[in-house]
Amino acid sequence: QVQLVESGGGLVQPGGSLRLSCVASGFTFSRYAMSWYRQAPGKERELVATITSSGGSTNYADSVKGRFTISRDNAKNTVYLQMYSLKPEDTAVYYCNAEHTIATFLGYYWGQGTQVTVSS
């Protein structure tokens, strides 16, 4: 059974930091690129950051560059999103995503999401 379980969300003041974690099970984690997406109320889900299966390459949305860092530990089947200098506009449900490196039809999974609220 495939599972992606996010944790680490919560309420934080503007300028604060949070670290999200996503633990994967039920598939070969090291064969998947991992991403974090977010969805704010009334808005479409958007890609925040992606990391390749080996962790050797990352990409970020312009809105989070320089503030967020994605990383992974293949030994722990876990991907992280370290978030600094949080802004109210970062408020959203954050979702973990796994996509097989060869083709999407081989595996494409979502977590249940974790709420991040940035407010004073």
Side-chain angles (χ1 to χ4, degrees):
Q1 181 183 0
V2 171
Q3 282 192 309
L4 293 172
V5 181
E6 299 102 331
S7 62
L11 174 63
V12 63
Q13 292 186 342
S17 302
L18 281 175
R19 188 176 84 154
L20 306 183
S21 299
C22 172
V23 179
S25 60
F27 61 98
T28 306
F29 184 73
S30 61
R31 295 179 183 173
Y32 285 71
M34 299 299 297
S35 298
W36 287 95
Y37 286 75
R38 67 186 181 187
Q39 188 167 19
K43 295 187 176 181
E44 293 187 354
R45 191 171 296 190
E46 64 171 349
L47 177 63
V48 174
T50 298
I51 188 166
T52 55
S53 56
S54 67
S57 181
T58 58
N59 280 292
Y60 298 91
D62 287 343
S63 59
V64 306
K65 279 182 182 176
R67 300 189 298 121
F68 291 9
T69 301
I70 188 170
S71 61
R72 67 189 293 160
D73 185 338
N74 283 355
K76 296 182 178 180
N77 286 1
T78 303
V79 61
Y80 305 96
L81 185 69
Q82 178 67 56
M83 304 184 292
Y84 296 103
S85 302
L86 283 161
K87 305 175 181 180
E89 51 263 44
D90 295 318
T91 296
V93 178
Y94 284 70
Y95 297 92
C96 178
N97 171 268
E99 183 174 2
H100 200 285
T101 55
I102 295 176
T104 300
F105 76 87
L106 292 175
Y108 191 78
Y109 311 117
W110 290 98
Q112 83 289 348
T114 186
Q115 176 71 48
V116 172
T117 302
V118 184
S119 175
S120 55

